Every structure is written in structure tokens, then in C-alpha cells.
Amino acid sequence: MPVIDLLVLVRGAHFAATLWAAGTVCFIVLVAPPPPPLLRRLTLMIWAALVLTVLTGAVWFVLIAANILDVPWDEIGRDGFWTVVSETRYGQIAALRLGLAVALGLLMMAPAFTGRRVLMLLAAAALAGLIALVGHAGATPGPAGWLHLASDVVHILAASAWLGGLPALALTLGAPGAAATTARFSVLGMVSVGALLASGLVNSWQLLDGPGDLTSTAYGRVLAVKIALFAAMVALAAVNRTRLTPHLPAAGATGALRRNSLIETALGLAVVLLAGALGTMIPGGHVHTNAPVTNSEAAYVHIHTEAAMADVSIDPGRAGKSNVTIRVTREDSGVYPRS
Amino acid sequence: MPISTAPCRPPASVQATAPKEVVIWFTEALEAKFSTIEVRDGKGAAMQAGAATLAPDNTAQLRVPLKALPPGTYKVIWRVLSVDTHRSKGEFSFKVAP
């Protein structure tokens, strides 16, 4: 299905552009207020990332709107456009994020005033973090949904701060004060890796039925590759921190660090493209069968009352020694009795 | 994907009394505007009495009221859009015993 492939690609590109924009803003505000010539180049970088974010976001919106309305993309029309914006969460979040991208652009053009950088950081963080609301995390119902959503927001913000800031770091290396800048980015990177690990575990716990899903389901296998690439990035970052950063600003260390930052950026791009794919796939925890019978020899009956449901299976379902399993749940498959 | 339905899906889908509504619990929160449940009798006539709505306290639960159902076999066809933009559809049937 070519449309799905395009959707995966566009989602990935949009996530990458958003992380890049947010990460570069974060780099300027939190890591290093660089000397003016460098600041101009970093500002240009934010503009490039922001334009890419808006363009890929527009294509993503068109693909999703066509899918929701079940029409070809060139037949969405003004009414269809407004229906998606006003009637779906995806449309509302897309409009809000477009507003945030414009606000970030205006803040960058505005003359300096107190708090401008903090506002830029907030706008960039919201631009990235709001993506969580239109992914799997945003769709999880009940109290678990709030935990999943909070965890996914942390995941996106940490990825922005670290992965999104890598191109800015590569640009900064070689400039005056690069050693101090790299040391500060390294601290931000370590905090981000910790946050990515913790939130990644929470997200996996929410979406997978168990570790076995990592090999037995398509979603799990893509996630396993994503985790492996993440591990490679962390290993590279550890080399940077322990072997190269202490030798800055020696030319050899600067060159090696720049090369490693670009390799990390490439790995990070692959990770983000996989994240774009995962959002379009069905995780193991969302696949439910009506009858929990795996053995064709088993007898099964489902009892449904207003108070609770029970799945009773007798395996094997014939005379002789059998195992009986009774699974009691509420109507919404929650724990019974209600805790 | 539905977690659970009322009336139940087969194999335990024979109802002693006619249900007054169909309720389906899903794994993800849904978009009300783009989520529907149709209930058809053996001749294909629509037996739902209005549009499907989301429960106020659970946006992953879609329900539709039913007309009075005489004994017979009914097909439930659901089409939903989750808030993370996934569309899915499915159907199941239940019987109202004479």
C-alpha cells in the first residue's frame, strides 16, 4: 500500500524536523548562548527546521484528512478541511501546532526582550510535546492513558533536547568555548538518555503484551531495531564523553567529535523514522481476541452478566483429566471486582 | 480493536431477552463524529434507534440504542476512527431467542 509507506515517511520526516527545530532552540537557550556569528548560523538552522516542520506537517495533515474522510487527497476540499480541523483531535492539534510554529517564528524575528528566550523554549517544547496527543499514547483510555501520555511527552522532549540538538553541537565544535559547550551538552544528553530509557520502558509496558512481543509481532520487531539503534547512539555518546571531550579543544578531538556527532545524528534520524513507522502500526497490547482459547481441543464458554464476565475453558474438552481456567473480568475487561 | 461487546460476540451470543442497546469497548479513545454502529436484522433493515455516541466517562466506549428487537439474528457492523487517526471496522452477530 503506497499511501501507508508515504505516511510512514512523512510522519518520520515531520518528527525529525520538529525535533531538530525544538532541539536547536533548546541548544541556544540551555546549552550555549554562542558568539554572534555562530548564533546567526544556529538561527538559520532553526528557520530551516521550522520550514521543514510546517511543510511535512501540511503533507501529513493532507494524508490523514484523506484517510479520515475516505476521499482522494485532491478531493478533500474546504469543507473536508474544516471538518477534520473542527471535529477531530488530530485536526485541532495540527492547527494548534501550526500556531506554535508561527509564534516561534515571530519570537525569533522580534527584537530582544526579557523572557523572549524562555518563550521560544516553551513554544518549541509545546510544538514537539503535543505530538504525543495524536499518537498511541494520546489514545489510551482511562487513568493509564494519563501516565502513558505524560511518559510520551517526556520521551519526545528528551529526544528533542538530545537528538534534536546534535546538528547544533556539530556546528558549534571548533568555535571559541566549544569545550565548555560540549561539556554542558553532555550533561543535557545524559539527563535525556535517562529520561528516554525510563519513558521508553513505560511506553513499552503500555503498548506491549510482554517482552516476547519484541520478536513475535511486527510492531515489536521494529521497536527492537529502534532500541538497538538507540543503544548504539548511547555507546557513541559515552565514547564522546569519556575519550574525546576531555581532550578538547585539540584539533584531533574536535574532528573526531564532529564526525561522531554526525554519525549520532544519522542514527538518530533512523530512530525517528522508525518512531514514525511505529505510530502507524498496531502494538501487541491492542490486539484482543474474543475467546482466549488457543487449543482446538479445549471447550470454551463465555458468561456475560451485568456485574461481570467470565471466560471458562476446559482443556481438553472431553472426559478424563482436564485443566479448567476461569477468567473473571468486568464488562470493559478491567479487573473484577473493581479495585 | 474491540475489547468486549454487549451483547457478546459468538460463541455466547444468544440473548434470552432483546437488548436495548449495543455497547462496544475499544482499546483506544474514539472520534465520535467518525465512529458508527449499525445493527441490521435478517432482511438488512436498520434496527439502531439513533446515532452511536461515546460514553461521557469513557471515550473508548461506543454505544447505540436499539429499536424493539423481535426474536431473530442481528448483525452489528462497527466502523471507528481512534484519536490517533487509525480507522478500523468489523462486524459480529447475535441472536434474540424466541
Side-chain angles (χ1 to χ4, degrees):
Chain A
M1 286 185 287
V3 168
I4 296 301
D5 294 337
L6 182 60
L7 180 62
V8 166
L9 207 64
V10 168
R11 266 178 68 99
H14 181 70
F15 291 177
T18 306
L19 262 55
W20 186 24
T24 311
V25 171
C26 180
F27 188 88
I28 291 178
V29 176
L30 292 184
V31 178
L38 197 58
L39 186 60
R40 271 196 295 280
R41 290 167 71 185
L42 287 171
T43 306
L44 267 179
M45 193 183 258
I46 299 176
W47 276 115
L50 212 50
V51 168
L52 262 182
T53 301
V54 172
L55 289 179
T56 51
V59 179
W60 187 23
F61 181 91
V62 168
L63 291 177
I64 292 292
N67 179 49
I68 289 175
L69 300 167
D70 208 11
V71 296
W73 68 270
D74 52 354
E75 288 177 23
I76 294 170
R78 191 180 297 177
D79 288 349
F81 174 86
W82 283 115
T83 303
V84 173
V85 169
S86 59
E87 298 286 352
T88 69
R89 184 197 290 177
Y90 176 84
Q92 289 155 5
I93 295 294
L96 182 56
R97 292 184 61 236
L98 178 62
L100 284 164
V102 171
L104 184 54
L106 290 174
L107 282 167
M108 279 163 49
M109 288 191 293
F113 62 89
T114 313
R116 184 174 75 123
R117 291 185 158 207
V118 175
L119 285 177
M120 280 173 62
L121 188 62
L122 288 176
L127 178 66
L130 281 171
I131 291 176
L133 272 168
V134 293
H136 285 307
T140 308
W146 291 107
L147 173 67
H148 193 185
L149 186 61
S151 162
D152 210 35
V153 169
V154 168
H155 204 71
I156 293 171
L157 293 182
S160 300
W162 181 34
L163 305 189
L166 284 169
L169 177 72
L171 197 68
T172 309
L173 291 168
T181 303
T182 307
R184 277 199 296 276
F185 186 77
S186 182
V187 173
L188 182 68
M190 281 196 298
V191 173
S192 297
V193 167
L196 282 167
L197 267 177
S199 55
L201 278 171
V202 172
N203 290 352
S204 302
W205 171 61
Q206 291 281 336
L207 290 170
L208 301 183
D209 265 344
D213 275 11
L214 288 174
T215 52
S216 64
T217 65
Y219 185 95
R221 285 191 287 271
V222 173
L223 180 59
V225 174
K226 184 174 174 239
I227 292 169
L229 289 174
F230 171 76
M233 289 184 69
V234 173
L236 210 54
V239 170
N240 291 348
R241 179 171 174 80
T242 55
R243 300 273 176 85
L244 300 177
T245 306
H247 297 294
L248 285 177
T254 301
L257 203 53
R258 183 178 290 129
R259 184 198 63 213
N260 283 3
S261 299
L262 293 176
I263 295 174
E264 272 184 72
T265 305
L267 288 172
L269 188 61
V271 167
V272 173
L273 288 176
L274 290 179
L278 287 173
T280 65
M281 301 170 75
I282 300 173
H286 286 191
V287 180
H288 290 262
T289 51
N290 190 29
V293 175
T294 50
N295 185 346
S296 59
E297 287 206 308
Y300 167 77
V301 66
H302 175 83
I303 301 164
H304 195 141
T305 69
E306 275 189 19
M309 302 190 300
D311 293 316
V312 182
S313 48
I314 304 168
D315 185 16
R318 51 180 148 78
K321 193 174 175 186
S322 297
N323 290 317
V324 178
T325 311
I326 305 173
R327 191 172 69 104
V328 182
T329 56
R330 297 200 310 262
E331 266 191 326
D332 59 359
S333 280
V335 176
Y336 180 84
R338 195 182 290 271
S339 51
Chain B
M1 298 289 282
I3 306 171
S4 164
T5 68
C8 287
R9 288 167 284 181
S13 52
V14 178
Q15 307 292 304
T17 55
K20 292 193 164 44
E21 62 177 0
V22 167
V23 188
I24 308 180
W25 286 262
F26 289 88
T27 51
E28 295 196 319
L30 304 176
E31 295 287 3
K33 172 92 176 177
F34 295 95
S35 299
T36 59
I37 301 177
E38 283 174 59
V39 181
R40 293 194 186 148
D41 68 9
K43 291 174 186 160
M47 298 307 286
Q48 71 272 17
T53 52
L54 296 177
D57 58 342
N58 184 358
T59 51
Q61 181 191 318
L62 192 65
R63 56 173 65 218
V64 70
L66 298 175
K67 298 173 185 171
L69 300 185
T73 302
Y74 296 89
K75 188 191 273 188
V76 179
I77 304 153
W78 55 266
R79 289 184 190 84
V80 296
L81 172 71
S82 55
V83 296
D84 60 1
T85 70
H86 297 153
R87 279 172 56 182
S88 57
K89 60 182 176 182
E91 57 180 55
F92 63 94
S93 56
F94 65 89
K95 272 184 194 162
V96 176

